[in-house]
Amino acid sequence: MRENQLKRKLKQGETVLGTFINCPYPAFMEICGYAGFDFAVIDMEHGALHTLVAEDLCRAADCVGIAPVVRVRKNDAPQIQRALDIGSAGVQVPQIETKEDAQAVVLGAKYSPLGDRGLSFNTRAGLYTAAGTQITDKLNEESLVVVHVEGRRGVENIADIVSVSHIDVIFLGPYDLSQSLGIPGQVRDPRVIELMQKCVTIIRNAGKAAGTFADNPEVAKQWIASGVQYVALGVDVAIFLRSCQALVEAVRN
């Protein structure tokens, strides 16, 4: 069974860089790996992806040494289980607002005695039974659990959320946070930045990794300098759009 190098890097205090994947074509995942990203978030919340596509994206990721993390649509145990059963490196769960929400994520992501994740060895995660039946502890150890704190209520409860064991990354969502503050899309507003920086300090003091999304390299560098370890830089479709726009502009202008 493959060790989760993404989780190892985070535990060692390294900064990891990834991107969001909305395209179903496995070549996009391979390209992200060849580009040097540490991880890619397979977006089943906002993207149109389904489970069979996500599983193939995980296979493509494994081929090029990039860690596939699946973002589910909501904090739902069956969705969390399926995201891990397809052989991802971890699961990313949106809209966590309370300690109880965070505890529910862990229960869905971990096998007994840490959680209530349904048990089957006939999955890609279980190597289709080739790994035997004594693998639940190893899978518990290797799975990465990322929770999104992306609203005012979650920020208010951040100290309680970070106290939950077996959560590896607290991902701060700037866009949803800006919306909850009544300034949707204004992610560089000082009010958004101030709240996020306070959260980063609390997360780091709790011994967990802070994560966030960055639209561009400059913003990514700023958050890394503030202590963020897990940085999702852009979305594949937007990256492709910007590259195409730059090509067209370079020729026409």
Side-chain angles (χ1 to χ4, degrees):
M1 187 175 300
R2 183 174 300 182
E3 289 190 352
N4 191 336
Q5 293 303 317
L6 177 63
K7 192 166 183 175
R8 298 288 180 278
K9 290 177 181 179
L10 289 168
K11 283 188 174 182
Q12 292 166 5
E14 297 181 34
T15 298
V16 294
L17 190 63
T19 191
F20 279 91
I21 296 288
N22 280 12
C23 287
Y25 190 37
F28 272 73
M29 180 66 82
E30 291 179 312
I31 290 166
C32 288
Y34 290 131
F37 283 114
D38 299 290
F39 69 95
V41 181
I42 299 169
D43 193 356
M44 297 183 71
E45 181 188 11
H46 293 298
L49 306 178
H50 56 74
T51 305
L52 288 176
V53 168
E55 187 173 61
D56 282 342
L57 290 172
C58 287
R59 290 189 178 96
D62 289 344
C63 288
V64 291
I66 184 174
V69 179
V70 177
R71 177 162 73 170
V72 295
R73 291 177 175 85
K74 64 178 181 178
N75 189 0
D76 174 71
Q79 290 187 39
I80 293 170
Q81 174 183 308
R82 179 161 289 191
L84 293 169
D85 279 353
I86 63 175
S88 67
V91 64
Q92 202 154 312
V93 182
Q95 300 296 339
I96 301 305
E97 296 186 332
T98 66
K99 181 177 182 178
E100 291 73 24
D101 288 345
Q103 290 170 330
V105 174
V106 174
L107 288 175
K110 301 296 183 181
Y111 295 109
S112 178
L114 304 181
D116 298 326
R117 178 179 168 186
L119 180 59
S120 172
F121 303 109
N122 302 288
T123 62
R124 186 167 184 267
L127 306 185
Y128 310 106
T129 72
T133 60
Q134 305 301 312
I135 62 169
T136 54
D137 288 344
K138 183 65 173 177
L139 288 171
N140 276 347
E141 178 185 343
E142 295 298 331
S143 60
L144 185 79
V145 178
V146 183
V147 298
H148 281 232
V149 172
E150 45 194 345
R152 185 193 295 270
R153 189 177 179 208
V155 168
E156 291 171 351
N157 292 320
I158 189 68
D160 291 332
I161 292 170
V162 299
S163 71
V164 177
S165 299
H166 309 298
I167 289 175
D168 302 292
V169 181
I170 313 293
F171 189 93
L172 303 171
Y175 278 93
D176 280 326
L177 180 56
S178 72
Q179 180 168 252
S180 75
L181 295 175
I183 46 174
Q186 299 180 44
V187 296
R188 301 309 293 164
D189 185 281
R191 289 166 288 181
V192 175
I193 294 173
E194 181 181 0
L195 283 178
M196 289 180 61
Q197 288 178 331
K198 287 181 179 178
C199 288
V200 171
T201 299
I202 293 170
I203 294 165
R204 287 176 59 83
N205 287 343
K208 298 187 186 297
T212 196
F213 175 80
D215 286 307
N216 59 66
E218 290 70 30
V219 172
K221 290 177 183 178
Q222 290 170 10
W223 282 120
I224 291 170
S226 296
V228 173
Q229 281 182 258
Y230 180 96
V231 180
L233 178 59
V235 182
D236 58 356
V237 291
I239 292 169
F240 183 63
L241 172 66
R242 300 290 179 266
S243 297
C244 289
Q245 287 176 327
L247 289 171
V248 171
E249 183 178 355
V251 174
R252 289 184 173 170
N253 296 334

